[in-house]
Amino acid sequence: MPTPPLSPDPIEIAEDPEMHVLATRRKTAVATLVRTAALALLAAVAAAGLGAVPARAADGDVTWTVRTASNSYGADRSSFSYSVNPGGQVNDAMVVANRGKDPLDLAVYTADGFTTGTGQLDLLTRDKKSVGIGAWVHADRERVVIQPGKTAEVPFAVNIPDNAPPGDYAGGIVTSLTQANEAEGINVDRRLGIRIKLRISGELKPSLTVEDLHIDYAGTSNPFGKGDATVTYRIHNTGNAILSAQQAVSVTGPFGWLRADAGDVAAPPELLPGESWTVTVPVHGVAPAVRLAATVGLTPLLTDASGSTTALDPVSTTAHGWAIPWTLLVLVVVLLAAVVGAPLLARRGRARRKQREDARVQEAVEQALREQETPAR
């Protein structure tokens, strides 16, 4: 499954054991200029059988909630999750409640998901083409009108094509309200929805690879001290399952000597098939061993429909970089120069002293000869 493009106005998923919800604020200029912005509006708690605190408009007048319907799939579910065969169908529903004082007219649609640069699940905007959940999941209506204090059930159907590739897919079903903000001359589009995760049966091929691994070294002015290394790489989900991972990073010198570990490295977010995540890890106390080896170990983590996580076979990648101990080299050169140069200077000094002594002796001999040749008066 190809990685969806980044959305110009992201939806942030609120991760909570009681409810996975989506909430954003999108601003669009009334004229030709379009501005967008995102705002997470929801935190989830359990109250009176509902799974979420309602999202609220800026003036506090508009309030609504969404939750999963109670049916044969369960009650008080945190999100929609299905295992389906190619060509299969699932029917379910979302419940929308109007907690405000005025009637609500909400748009309803579905969209594919993707992981943002902050590690959150986002959804494509309605004007973007979906090829997975957004194309296979359809609500039975495009709009729902709810009176104050009332709820409405919005059924939807999941229709999987016969040729759908096996693996994991993520997206969501969304309710949207557009309101005019006359003070700013813009429209505010508020979205609230629930995550949908599909696993289409067939051969599951979970796979993570480490790409573009390289190491940079920053030395120290202390010729006998240790410096810091920075290990950078990209985690690429090359399989067809949603995966996170446990990470381990270490740096060694030649023959595996002088090992330095990075310690605890935060797990990446769950990556959808085809997605990548860039990681930068500092490693302290690295000896400048001229040639360094940076090793990254990943243990992929696969979560099944019940929520249990399985650790898969680890993968490991190594790359090399230079760590020249320049300060130590300068010190060694100076010491070598002293060791080699001192005898040379001593020999030169002795030679000069001998030349001066020979010159004095020669001059004395010549003076004595001159005195002998001078006739007595």
Side-chain angles (χ1 to χ4, degrees), residues 53-254:
V53 170
R56 300 181 182 275
D59 58 8
D61 291 338
V62 180
T63 302
W64 82 96
T65 63
V66 294
R67 61 177 174 86
T68 59
S70 297
N71 49 35
S72 59
Y73 293 106
D76 298 325
R77 291 170 289 167
S78 63
S79 62
F80 298 109
S81 181
Y82 314 103
S83 294
V84 192
N85 295 324
Q89 185 182 64
V90 172
N91 294 291
D92 208 334
M94 174 177 64
V95 178
V96 185
N98 183 353
R99 303 300 177 187
K101 300 177 181 179
D102 300 309
L104 275 178
D105 183 2
L106 303 173
V108 181
Y109 64 95
T110 59
D112 288 352
F114 66 96
T115 304
T116 68
T118 60
Q120 301 295 318
L121 179 68
D122 199 350
L123 295 184
L124 297 179
T125 50
R126 196 171 187 177
D127 58 331
K128 302 295 183 181
K129 182 179 179 180
S130 293
V131 297
I133 285 177
W136 303 336
V137 181
H138 301 280
D140 74 340
R141 69 195 76 172
E142 293 186 354
R143 307 198 70 85
V144 59
V145 177
I146 312 171
Q147 297 301 317
K150 301 296 183 178
T151 63
E153 187 169 279
V154 181
F156 62 86
V158 182
N159 296 291
I160 306 301
D162 294 335
N163 61 348
D168 290 342
Y169 299 80
I173 180 168
V174 181
T175 56
S176 174
L177 175 66
T178 301
Q179 295 173 294
N181 187 325
E182 297 180 358
E184 298 185 23
I186 58 176
N187 289 334
V188 178
D189 185 15
R190 298 177 52 218
R191 301 188 290 178
L192 184 63
I194 303 176
R195 178 192 301 204
I196 300 174
K197 180 180 177 180
L198 290 178
R199 175 164 290 174
I200 298 179
S201 61
E203 185 179 4
L204 198 63
K205 298 179 180 179
S207 176
L208 292 179
T209 60
V210 177
E211 301 175 350
D212 296 336
L213 171 61
H214 62 274
I215 179 172
D216 296 310
Y217 181 76
T220 173
S221 58
N222 181 355
F224 303 104
K226 296 180 178 180
D228 297 328
T230 301
V231 179
T232 304
Y233 54 95
R234 187 173 67 248
I235 301 174
H236 187 190
N237 186 345
T238 55
N240 61 357
I242 298 175
L243 293 173
S244 183
Q246 294 174 342
Q247 304 185 78
V249 178
S250 63
V251 175
T252 60

Side-chain angles (χ1 to χ4, degrees), residues 330-348:
V330 170
L331 178 60
V332 170
V333 168
V334 171
L335 292 176
L336 286 176
V339 171
V340 175
L344 291 176
L345 293 176
R347 285 197 296 270
R348 290 180 182 178

Side-chain angles (χ1 to χ4, degrees), residues 317-332:
T317 304
T318 299
H320 295 84
W322 296 101
I324 308 298
W326 295 111
T327 306
L328 181 59
L329 286 179
V330 170
L331 178 60
V332 170

